[in-house]
Amino acid sequence: MTVHIRKALEGMRSDIKNGIVINGDLTGIIWNTVEKMLNEADENRLKRVINGTGTILHTNLGRARLSKEAINRVAEVAVNYSNLEFEIESGTRGSRHDLVEDLIKQATGAEAAMVVNNNAAAVYFILKTFAKGKEVIVSRGQLVEIGGSFRISSIMEESGAKLVEVGTTNKTHVKDYSDALNDETAMLLKVHTSNFKTIGFTKTVSTEELVEIAGTRDEVMVYEDLGSGVLYDFAKEGIGEEPVVHKVLETGVDLVSFSGDKLLGGPQAGIIAGKKKYIDQLKKHQLARVLRVDKMSFAALEATFKAYLNQRHKDIPTVRDMLQSLEEVKEKAEEFSDAISGWNSFQAEIIREYSMVGGGTMPDVRIPTYVVKLNHEALAAHSLADKLRTGTPSVIVRTSGDSILLDFRTITRGELPDLIKAMERLTYRD
Ligand SMILES: *Cc1c(COP(=O)(O)O)cnc(C)c1O
């Protein structure tokens, strides 16, 4: 207790030195601060954060938020027993792989599908199962590194497959692939360049062309790592140019894989879809058990896929936030700035800005948004950002010059009261 009181006093002294005026009942304010510290000592390590950055799939902030329906389904199967590996019709043992396979097939048009822990696991699993000890041909322009040290070249080495690089960084031609084909070739791999763009003098080989090249030989498969893999056609709305999963599968590609918690907007998962003969082989592999997904993820995935199939894609927070109109964003920004307008500690201004998609997807896409640009009478932008970040709930903001920016694309109406309270704490009102 004494430690907390000392710490509270130290904090306030330093604030006063910085020129912050503390009005009101001093003892009350000190007690409030101490009480907050005591509560914090019992706080969870993994806790909620208000994402004011406008980056929709913020990798450090947990990527996709789940829909209400997905959360309800997670709670239901977590609290109760479930038919995770039980066939209710026949009363016999079932397979967890069957739970969402039909939904994935319907949503993507695939012959078969399965789910593993994440997309990185899917890439490893597919290479290990079909290309161990054999050659995999990849364009030099697609030897990508995804955040968290996941590199195509390293994961390939780990899987025991031999990487055969073809083409150059900016240009790869059909002939580069066909020249590299030989009896040792197991696979042509296409990797979505999720987190960067090559512009200018460039050429890539399409999935259709890869399918054609592989068709000239028996037993050479084509696999495309789609990265995010969208089910909703954002490109149609003028947002980016992510290929929709079912269109990619229509090319005749043997397998694709994509993340559950990027633009799909579901739980962390790696979804593998494509030809049944390959999916069957994967399901039988020893690694299927190693990489398997738990019941809560299945519950959340099921709800997420159902939302797409029932045209309720806007129930999925990631999709909703991507498609949110400027007016909707502005309304929230106005509600917030109205709420704090009487407080003389802050100066607020609503300005046009851009949100990013994040999560290593659509690196070149900037979605117009409204932000509240905030200045505090005494705190510099970085101190203001620090205080908001370390408060409860933690609020993460962008800084720009002397101001902080709060982007309301990633802040929901439901979060406004807590956000306003977080601001109120920086005014030392009691
Ligand atoms: C994000 C990404 C991965 C990894 O997916 P996780 O679900 O994060 O494991 C793999 N490949 C590509 C191209 C990606 O964009």
Side-chain angles (χ1 to χ4, degrees):
M1 179 74 118
T2 330
V3 185
H4 293 110
I5 295 174
R6 279 207 193 105
K7 225 172 149 192
L9 289 173
E10 265 167 36
M12 288 174 75
R13 275 193 206 107
S14 114
D15 282 344
I16 292 167
K17 264 193 218 147
N18 282 328
I20 293 181
V21 182
I22 301 182
N23 294 316
D25 166 23
L26 261 190
T27 335
I29 291 169
I30 295 167
W31 269 121
N32 281 346
T33 318
V34 171
E35 200 180 349
K36 207 183 113 206
M37 283 176 171
L38 288 172
N39 289 338
E40 274 170 10
D42 190 36
E43 247 183 28
N44 291 322
R45 302 295 162 97
L46 181 61
K47 47 190 166 188
R48 73 176 271 224
V49 159
I50 293 179
N51 175 9
T53 65
T55 300
I56 297 166
L57 292 171
H58 203 301
T59 302
N60 303 146
L61 306 183
R63 284 199 191 157
R65 289 193 263 206
L66 291 179
S67 68
K68 285 225 172 62
E69 185 57 26
I71 293 155
N72 292 340
R73 298 284 295 110
V74 168
E76 191 185 343
V77 301
V79 169
N80 298 291
Y81 291 109
S82 63
N83 63 334
L84 181 64
E85 295 196 339
F86 181 64
E87 274 192 19
I88 288 177
E89 287 281 301
S90 60
T92 55
R93 192 191 168 122
S95 161
R96 68 178 67 209
H97 295 307
D98 297 340
L99 293 170
V100 294
E101 183 170 12
D102 269 349
L103 295 174
I104 302 173
K105 280 158 63 178
Q106 279 178 53
T108 63
E111 259 175 46
M114 75 179 289
V115 182
V116 292
N117 197 38
N118 56 20
N119 190 31
V123 176
Y124 173 72
F125 189 22
I126 291 168
L127 290 172
K128 181 105 181 165
T129 307
F130 301 108
K132 189 178 162 195
K134 295 210 179 139
E135 294 183 358
V136 176
I137 306 176
V138 191
S139 157
R140 287 199 172 84
Q142 295 170 2
L143 290 172
V144 306
E145 173 171 323
I146 316 292
S149 75
F150 174 86
R151 283 182 174 178
I152 290 296
S153 47
S154 312
I155 208 79
M156 182 104 59
E157 201 177 311
E158 208 61 54
S159 75
K162 284 182 219 144
L163 170 66
V164 177
E165 301 175 22
V166 296
T168 60
T169 308
N170 58 327
K171 279 202 172 204
T172 305
H173 303 273
V174 167
K175 197 172 172 324
D176 294 322
Y177 287 93
S178 46
D179 285 352
L181 268 185
N182 67 65
D183 292 342
E184 293 303 307
T185 311
M187 184 187 291
L188 307 183
L189 168 64
K190 180 165 182 177
V191 184
H192 188 57
T193 51
S194 305
N195 53 7
F196 69 101
K197 280 272 157 202
T198 38
I199 53 163
F201 193 56
T202 61
K203 162 94 180 79
T204 55
V205 175
S206 71
T207 313
E208 283 92 341
E209 288 169 313
L210 290 182
V211 170
E212 216 167 283
I213 300 164
T216 61
R217 292 216 169 217
D218 287 344
E219 302 301 319
V220 173
M221 64 185 288
V222 182
Y223 159 46
E224 182 161 353
D225 170 12
L226 289 171
S228 201
V230 302
L231 295 186
Y232 181 83
D233 194 357
F234 291 106
K236 203 179 63 192
E237 309 286 336
I239 309 171
E241 42 197 31
E242 286 291 309
V244 182
V245 178
H246 77 83
K247 287 208 182 123
V248 178
L249 283 166
E250 275 168 18
T251 62
V253 64
D254 294 303
L255 288 177
V256 300
S257 70
F258 51 97
S259 288
D261 57 347
K262 287 187 181 169
L263 286 165
L264 194 78
Q268 179 191 304
I271 294 145
I272 305 172
K275 304 245 167 88
K276 186 166 183 306
K277 68 169 180 179
Y278 295 115
I279 300 283
D280 284 347
Q281 249 176 286
L282 289 170
K283 284 179 183 166
K284 285 195 209 106
H285 197 285
Q286 279 294 314
L287 275 177
R289 170 72 182 249
V290 177
L291 304 174
R292 80 180 185 183
V293 166
D294 87 319
K295 59 192 174 194
M296 291 187 278
S297 305
F298 275 120
L301 258 190
E302 183 174 9
T304 308
F305 273 97
K306 272 191 175 165
Y308 283 105
L309 289 168
N310 300 332
Q311 308 297 320
R312 285 189 290 102
H313 48 270
K314 282 203 184 164
D315 290 353
I316 299 168
T318 304
V319 179
R320 175 199 67 206
D321 292 350
M322 293 279 294
L323 300 178
Q324 202 172 163
S325 72
L326 265 176
E327 290 69 42
E328 289 171 273
V329 179
K330 193 174 187 189
E331 270 173 30
K332 290 184 284 181
E334 280 170 350
E335 205 169 302
F336 171 79
S337 67
D338 286 351
I340 65 160
S341 66
W343 309 352
N344 44 22
S345 307
F346 291 109
Q347 259 188 337
E349 188 189 347
I350 298 175
I351 56 168
R352 274 285 290 270
E353 253 286 339
Y354 292 96
S355 309
M356 300 292 289
V357 181
T361 62
M362 301 191 181
D364 55 338
V365 170
R366 304 194 313 159
I367 306 176
T369 193
Y370 279 103
V371 304
V372 172
K373 185 174 165 214
L374 262 190
N375 290 336
H376 190 272
E377 56 176 347
L379 297 171
H382 67 91
S383 318
L384 187 51
D386 285 349
K387 281 186 184 285
L388 286 168
R389 194 185 62 249
T390 52
T392 306
S394 173
V395 180
I396 315 294
V397 300
R398 276 190 268 164
T399 54
S400 165
D402 302 334
S403 317
I404 63 160
L405 304 181
L406 277 167
D407 187 333
F408 283 83
R409 180 171 296 282
T410 47
I411 298 171
T412 61
R413 262 226 154 72
E415 287 170 321
L416 286 180
D418 279 340
L419 177 63
I420 292 162
K421 267 190 227 143
M423 293 294 159
E424 198 166 12
R425 271 186 232 117
L426 303 180
T427 63
Y428 283 112
R429 289 139 47 106
D430 54 359

